[in-house]
Amino acid sequence: GALLAPGQLLDEGERLVAANEVVVGVRLSAAAAPRGDVPPGTPILVVIRPATGVNGEPPTEVAGWLRDLGEPLENTGAREASLVVPDNAGALVASAAADERIAVATREETG
């Protein structure tokens, strides 16, 4: 029964982080980051390469969404990003990001 202030509303395309999700801050190399302007809320697939010395293991894939993506750094083209992933995959994504073993692919929404 109360009026909402503009600050209480989400802009079109904005999403809230759910209780079962975590935000992981990462730095993506130029080759591992999506190119161009990728809007917040875009569905993503985080691809995690196996750790060094682990042979024969396939990459792990974690579905999530993009909270934000920075501009490419001038000297390296790397981009800083905030990735939203299920909370049970947060530690895996953060650890792999620290070891520079992740890449992010954007997903098209269907349905």
Side-chain angles (χ1 to χ4, degrees):
L3 294 175
L4 297 175
Q8 295 173 302
L9 302 174
L10 294 175
D11 289 333
E12 187 174 336
E14 277 191 309
R15 294 172 66 172
L16 292 176
V17 177
N20 63 344
E21 296 176 320
V22 294
V23 180
V24 180
V26 301
R27 177 173 282 181
L28 300 166
S29 71
R35 290 182 172 227
D37 185 31
V38 183
T42 298
I44 59 169
L45 185 65
V46 181
V47 180
I48 302 169
R49 292 184 308 277
T52 303
V54 178
N55 295 323
E57 287 285 321
T60 301
E61 298 177 351
V62 177
W65 56 277
L66 186 68
R67 185 166 184 185
D68 61 58
L69 180 64
E71 293 297 319
L73 299 175
E74 188 175 321
N75 56 343
T76 64
R79 300 178 87 170
E80 293 184 354
S82 295
L83 312 179
V84 181
V85 297
D87 60 1
N88 62 354
L92 174 66
V93 172
S95 175
D99 292 341
E100 299 180 351
R101 295 185 293 115
I102 69 170
V104 173
T106 58
R107 302 180 73 147
E108 293 293 323
E109 295 232 30
T110 59

